Amino acid sequence: MPAPMPKPFPRLAAVATLCLLAAGARASGVAVAVHDSTGTPLADAVAWLEAEAGQAVSKGALKTAEIEQKSLKFMPLVTVVQTGTRIDFPNNDKVRHHIYSFSPAHKFDQKLYSGTTATPQIFDKPGIVVLGCNIHDKMVAYVRIVDTPYFVKGDAAGVGRIDAPAGKYVLKVWHFNMAGGQPAEQAVVVKAGDALGTASFRLPMKPPVSGDAL
């Protein structure tokens, strides 16, 4: 029986996926790959395109989003939305939660509740919102609000695709655990009718904190 083929290293797999996205694209935009400083793919990295000053951008129709509470966790861990988006917070646990945010981009305090009784929140300022639960200290989640309709959250391989019309943009990338907290960026040009461009980033991560789960 022949020996099984070795699995590709995570970084090589991400690069291959990036190439496939670019080669198979039918719309203009950018395929983005995000790794840490050692080359390990970063899941849940957020990337978005900001148009150069003076370039018209259609805001498009806003979509609602949902962050549920289940198994004493927020799911998903990271959410990215456009400015003005409504997010619902259903509690699908058997216990009640008290969710809150002290973040300047959106402060709120939702007292103990269960089911779908929590008031939906409108995230109307760009920035980062950190969610917590007053009852369960280990519960945390992140919302990145961006003032553009062109954004993506990367997959487990650190890869994502942003479709956008032709123009000049600044491509920004952020991860909730990156050192410094400020997004990395690079200038990109999206050309009409072309296959996706590609971009890659390596982000420095915060050092592990003593007691963090492995």
Side-chain angles (χ1 to χ4, degrees), residues 112-173:
L112 280 168
Y113 75 98
S114 59
T116 58
T117 59
T119 303
Q121 300 292 318
I122 305 296
F123 290 75
D124 54 3
K125 296 179 182 178
I128 303 166
V129 171
V130 182
L131 303 176
C133 175
N134 265 337
I135 310 302
H136 307 97
D137 291 341
K138 292 186 177 181
M139 289 179 63
V140 65
Y142 305 88
V143 181
R144 181 83 211 198
I145 307 105
V146 296
D147 209 11
T148 171
Y150 313 127
F151 58 84
V152 71
K153 183 177 76 172
D155 59 18
V159 174
R161 163 181 169 168
I162 308 173
D163 291 330
K168 295 181 179 180
Y169 299 88
V170 175
L171 172 61
K172 296 187 176 182
V173 169

Side-chain angles (χ1 to χ4, degrees), residues 35-180:
H35 301 81
D36 68 13
S37 57
T38 69
T40 302
L42 286 173
D44 293 320
V46 174
W48 66 98
L49 292 171
E50 293 184 357
E52 279 198 348
Q55 181 175 315
V57 174
S58 173
K59 287 191 175 291
L62 292 175
K63 299 179 180 179
T64 59
E66 181 178 286
I67 300 174
E68 72 168 325
Q69 296 135 75
K70 188 174 182 180
S71 302
L72 301 185
K73 294 180 180 179
F74 288 110
M75 297 181 179
L77 172 63
V78 176
T79 299
V80 53
V81 296
Q82 185 179 352
T83 306
T85 297
R86 187 191 84 187
I87 299 182
D88 296 299
F89 294 91
N91 178 1
N92 294 320
D93 270 327
K94 294 181 180 180
V95 299
R96 293 191 295 170
H97 292 296
H98 177 161
I99 61 174
Y100 68 91
S101 164
F102 294 141
S103 302
H106 189 74
K107 296 180 182 180
F108 72 98
D109 187 29
Q110 181 67 53
K111 303 297 183 182
L112 280 168
Y113 75 98
S114 59
T116 58
T117 59
T119 303
Q121 300 292 318
I122 305 296
F123 290 75
D124 54 3
K125 296 179 182 178
I128 303 166
V129 171
V130 182
L131 303 176
C133 175
N134 265 337
I135 310 302
H136 307 97
D137 291 341
K138 292 186 177 181
M139 289 179 63
V140 65
Y142 305 88
V143 181
R144 181 83 211 198
I145 307 105
V146 296
D147 209 11
T148 171
Y150 313 127
F151 58 84
V152 71
K153 183 177 76 172
D155 59 18
V159 174
R161 163 181 169 168
I162 308 173
D163 291 330
K168 295 181 179 180
Y169 299 88
V170 175
L171 172 61
K172 296 187 176 182
V173 169
W174 169 85
H175 189 273
F176 68 89
N177 200 40
M178 67 187 296

